[in-house]
Each structure stands twice: as C-alpha cells, then as structure tokens.
Amino acid sequence: MTQIVDCGFTRFGRREDDLVSMSVEPVKEIVEKNRDVIDFVVVSNGYSGEYNDVSGLNNLITTRLSLDEVPSFRLDNTSGSGGAALLASQSLIESGIANNVLVIGTEKMTSVVTKKSSRIIASLLNPEERKAGLSLPSLAAFFAKGYMEKYGAKRESLAEVSVKNHFNASMNPIAQFQKPVDLEAVMSSRVIADPLRIYEFCPISDGASAVLMASDGTAGSFSGKAVKVSATALASSSSSVSERATSLTIDCVKNSAKKALSKAELSPDQIDVAELHDMATILEIAESEDIGFFKKGEGWKAVLDSETSLQGSIPINPSGGLNSRGHALGATGIAQAAEIYNQLTGSCGPRQVKNAARGLSVNMAGFGYNASTTIYEVI
Amino acid sequence: MTQIVDCGFTRFGRREDDLVSMSVEPVKEIVEKNRDVIDFVVVSNGYSGEYNDVSGLNNLITTRLSLDEVPSFRLDNTSGSGGAALLASQSLIESGIANNVLVIGTEKMTSVVTKKSSRIIASLLNPEERKAGLSLPSLAAFFAKGYMEKYGAKRESLAEVSVKNHFNASMNPIAQFQKPVDLEAVMSSRVIADPLRIYEFCPISDGASAVLMASDGTAGSFSGKAVKVSATALASSSSSVSERATSLTIDCVKNSAKKALSKAELSPDQIDVAELHDMATILEIAESEDIGFFKKGEGWKAVLDSETSLQGSIPINPSGGLNSRGHALGATGIAQAAEIYNQLTGSCGPRQVKNAARGLSVNMAGFGYNASTTIYEVI
C-alpha cells in the first residue's frame, strides 16, 4: 500500500515566476528534509511546450532541486494529469521500482493571452468536433441545459456551487480567489456559454502542488503525519463527445469511482470529504451523483440543502475546487490530493471538515474523456 | 516479471498521414487479436502539441482504436520517452494495476520546417545554455573532438558507425534510409557541427512503433512468441551540460546499464545484441563503452574491427539505429524494444543476429540528461 507523507503548494493565480521556478517552490522544504530518500520524481504537466516553450521539464526540475541523479518523467493526461500521475506513482511504489516518489503537479497558463489559451486547450478535442467549433464551455452549457430540463433542477442550484466554492476558497490561503461572492453576483456575472456564467467556470491559472508518496515500508521514517492511499482507479470514455452527448451521466467518473470504492471496500456514504473536478458548476453536481453521494438527478437539491457545504453530510471542494482555488491543469489532481491530505491530518484551519477520516478526489481529462478517482484514509 | 508478446511498426521517414492515424497503424492487428484483454494503453510521445497541435493524444488514440474504455496516459521524457514508458508499463503490470499494457511510441516531426523543429528540440536545454546558443549537434561535436583527442581515435571510426548502421537499415523494411553508404560518402557529406557530418546524425522522422507487454500470468495466453523483460532502469544526470562538459563518460547511461545488468544478474559480455541511442555516431561508441561492452577509450577500435557489426562479438543497432532507421522522438525507445523482440524471436531476416538470446537497449533523453536501459531474454 502507498501513503502520502507530506504535501506542498504555491499560491494559485497569475504568477510572475517562470515555470521551473514555480514548479520547485512547493517542494523546496520537502526536498531539504528528504533529499536522501526521494528515489523518483513524477511531474504532472500537460502543456509546458505549448504555454511555456519548455520541454524535458522533469529533468529541468530535478536539476534545479539538485536531485540530478533521481530518475523522473513527465506524465500528461491534459486536465486529468494529476490523477493519472498519482496512479503511476502508486504503481512505481507497489511494483518495488521506487520507494519514495515526489509527485509535482504544475502548469503556467497565463504566459499566453486568453484566446491562445483557449486554442491550446481545444487541441484536446476530437478533430471533427474541434472543426465544428465545439469547446469545453459550450459542452458544459449543453450539459447544464439538459440536466435542468430532465431533472427540473433550479437554475440557482448551479450558481450556488460557485457561491459555496468561493466561500471555501476565501479560507484557503493558496486559492486564486479569496473573496466570497453571493448568489446575485454569480447570476449577474457575464454569460460565457448560455446558461453558464463566468463565476461558474474555473479560471485560467498558474500554480503548482506536490505530494510525497511513500511505501508502507518507508512511510514510518518521515517526520510528518501519513495518510493511506487506499485506491486509485483510472477509467476512460470516448473522446468523441457527440457519441454520448445526450447522456447526463459521466461514465468515466462513475466507473472510476465504482472501481476505486470497490478496491477500498467502501461505499460512497462512508466518505467524509471530497474534491471534485468542477470545471463548471454543473459538473460538480453531476459528479456528486455519478460517484453515488446522491441519486441521479438529486445532486442539485443537495446543493440547495447545503449537504455539500463544510458542515453538510458530504462536504465537496473545501479547497474551493477548480472553480475558486484555480485550475492550473497539470497541478489540479495533485492539489486535490494535497487538500485531502491536509483535511485528513486536520491542517485546514477554518475550512477544516470535522472528523474527516476518509477522503475522495476525482480528476477528469477533457469533457469526460477519462477520470481518475483516488481514495484516502487516516491510518 | 513482465513479458513482451507482440510488436508493430510503421515505416519511419516523412509520412503523409496525420499523427493519430500514424499512431494506430502499428497496433491495428494487435488490437484486433487482443481487444478483450488489453487493459491499459501507455502512449510515449514528447511533442504532439508542439509539432502537431494535438493534446490528449492518448485518448484520441484509444477512441480511434475503439478501446474507449481502456485507461491511458501519455508519458513524456523527450527523446527518452520510450524507455521511460517501458519502465512505467512494467510498473503498472508488476504492481497488479494492469495485466496487458499496449505501449505505443509515436512522433510526427516533419509537419514543421527544419528550423522550427530544431527550435522545438532546443526547448529541452537548460535555459542558460539555450540562451548561449548550445544545441544538441554542437554538444555532440564537442564530445567527438574531446574523445578523438583523449583516446587517439581515428576520425574514420566515427564515420564507420554510420556506414554500419546504413548497411543494417538497408535490410530493415521499416527503416527511413534503405540504401547502404560507403565511408567516402559519409566523410564527404555536409558538415553539420565540425567534425561531424550529416550522415553521422539521426534524421528528422515521423514514425510509430508498439509493443504489447503482459504479466507472467497472462503472457501464456497470447498466440505469438514471448520475450522476458528482465530489467528496466532509468538513471538521471544534470541537465546542465556545462557542469559535465569535459567528461567523456555518459553517467546516466553508465548508471542505468549497471543497475539493469545487476537486476538481471548479467554481465555486459553475456548480451548478444544491443540497440543504442546513436543520435550522433560518437554517442554509439561512447555508450558501448559506458555499458561495459568495451573498455573506456576502446569502442572506436571495436568499430574498426567490425566487433559491432551483425557478425561481430556484440552487434549494435541491427535495426539501423536512430542514425538510419530514424529517430521519431517518442517512438524510438519503443522501436528499440520491438527490434530486440524481433531479434530474440528470430524474425529479422537478413539482418538477424545469430543465436540472439539476450538483448539490451539504451534510450537517452537530451544530451545525457537521463537514460534508461532495458534487458530482454528469451524464455
């Protein structure tokens, strides 16, 4: 079994430092404390070439950290890179190839103008759909319309996800957005893809985050608290969205959650805290259903009933989520893992979920192309 | 333990098909035969965004192959992506996360002009060294000069590597170059970085290659022959070349080979055939020494004595190597593994190394930034 024994973050948002400098910031202390035992570095990053004109990022990072002789690679799975990197790191440890893997998630997106950034992200679309002018925001809007129509969801329920996540982020010192917003502010913000508004989408972000993963055999030798990674599962769907456009279930989320929960021998109601992939507000609701926290079509009611708030039955995105912590693509899945680590070790201050002993994170690539679910437990 | 049970190739060279079409070509038959048992796809690719304006390549490939529900990720380690992908795939299998991993190496480089391609590759250099105008060819030339001076190597010995590799490639139907060249042709070809000439460098290539890796438990159920992967080891060095510029030893090659040979409990003289990372002719010679096939400073003599030819004591690059098979960055490490698989299963026709029972491949990233060594044995 694999454990997480430490974590680190940069502040998310628009940053002035370059990609390599930003990537090493969250791990400087971790490396100082554990220099002699880190035997692999996995870098989760989707677009260093496209955004930053940098390749071989893993090696540039190990050199900057004076970990020159530690083997490394870069793992990419677009916005789902982090979850896949957790899986790959776990497999390095459980196969005995490595003992202590430093996993760094990083992306610097503000180095290009917004239009170019949108074009870079659109490069993950199926070529036919890209030519037809589809975009991730338009797919989310289409999904939101279908969901509201089929399940009679109130428009406000979607916006309330943004209100909740902004509130949580206001207590997270590394979050991109630090101010709460009210329902009126969300509902009167600019329309990006009707009916969804700008406060309901994740921003463009720079940021890096890291976790140090260790084998059972070595985890005891670290000074900090440890959290068990009970299961990680990656599941895939078609990258041809039109083939599944009428579905309001995100199959890859459903399948990865089912697989991970089964591996961990847990049911959804045993999870105390979750970080989900809320690229748009509607996706947090759909995912909360597909994981099994709520019945299909009832996730929107749970938001209105505050079931997903910090004091609710299943607090979702205490970090602020992609929506408000920020979504630096390759960093996101690792930031989710680091937030759950902090929650399970009781280090979250005012946004701490009480008695959090079991956590779950979902990191998604593309618009439901693939997703990973990771499950964490206190030891 | 992990086995290779099948392999595939496209022809290398300038190709008209797009990246996704090219990437699936070598695996169509493998997928048809094994559709129900492939449970992970690892894509080895360094630069799909930079060269082809494509991201999320792993998911586009699984969709094109109608393997939509098979989880996947893209692994990048620049020109050493393939070797790292073999390691990651082995760890997925040996940790029990996957049973049968389809590993596809792919890169399409001719979609941009040569000048832009050089700029893309230079993005892997340490920023200070990149600003100073260093390039991979100039580093190889500097290395060649130092080597000839220190060890009294004859200039012709370097060129003979190109002659040998062109000859081998002339018998490899998937090789980029299909015609033998003689010493005079190499020595009179255009100077790229003095003293090295164009025939002594790998070309810019499009190409894809694949291996199907399986666990011991499942390997017996495949119809083809199987080859054991006895060991894979990745070792890293500084990406700051100037810090090690006077060294004529490639530490990461030396360390990864040492580690892999030790894991496989073999000595270099027990290896029957090797595929090395001959980005420039001098590197094949240096690597052949750093692995331990020859004493340091004597690899050049071994070339002149035909020790590394198909009939020699240790045939190197029977495929034609990067030099003549071609070097489609993300495809190279997988093409090396596929060539060794074919050699060890006796499928190489006129370029078959006699009685090949143990093989070794070295795949390098950057200019000695990191390297992986993989060792293969007949079962």
Side-chain angles (χ1 to χ4, degrees), chain A residues 106-224:
Chain A
T106 184
E107 202 89 49
K108 185 171 172 64
M109 305 170 70
T110 70
S111 42
V112 304
V113 296
T114 302
K115 199 174 167 181
K116 187 171 177 192
S117 184
S118 301
R119 208 185 58 75
I120 288 171
I121 295 169
S123 71
L124 63 78
L125 291 167
N126 193 294
E128 289 73 37
E129 297 178 341
R130 184 179 180 186
K131 273 181 217 149
L134 280 187
S135 70
L136 296 182
S138 65
L139 288 166
F142 187 78
F143 193 103
K145 273 187 204 168
Y147 182 89
M148 289 192 292
E149 198 177 294
K150 178 159 182 186
Y151 299 117
K154 288 189 184 157
R155 174 67 186 87
E156 290 74 15
S157 66
L158 278 60
E160 286 289 4
V161 171
S162 171
V163 174
K164 167 180 69 70
N165 290 352
H166 276 78
F167 177 70
N168 292 351
S170 75
M171 295 175 288
N172 183 356
I174 66 97
Q176 183 156 356
F177 300 135
Q178 299 271 343
K179 284 185 187 163
V181 296
D182 61 17
L183 184 62
E184 199 194 326
V186 176
M187 291 297 291
S188 61
S189 70
R190 185 157 60 88
V191 171
I192 293 292
D194 184 61
L196 298 176
R197 293 166 183 268
I198 194 163
Y199 281 8
E200 297 184 285
F201 284 103
C202 61
I204 291 171
S205 314
D206 304 334
S209 50
V211 290
L212 179 57
M213 294 175 86
S215 67
D216 274 353
T218 62
S221 61
F222 294 93
S223 53

Side-chain angles (χ1 to χ4, degrees), chain B residues 335-346:
Chain B
Q336 293 176 323
E339 173 72 13
I340 300 282
Y341 172 81
N342 281 335
Q343 288 287 348
L344 266 51
T345 55

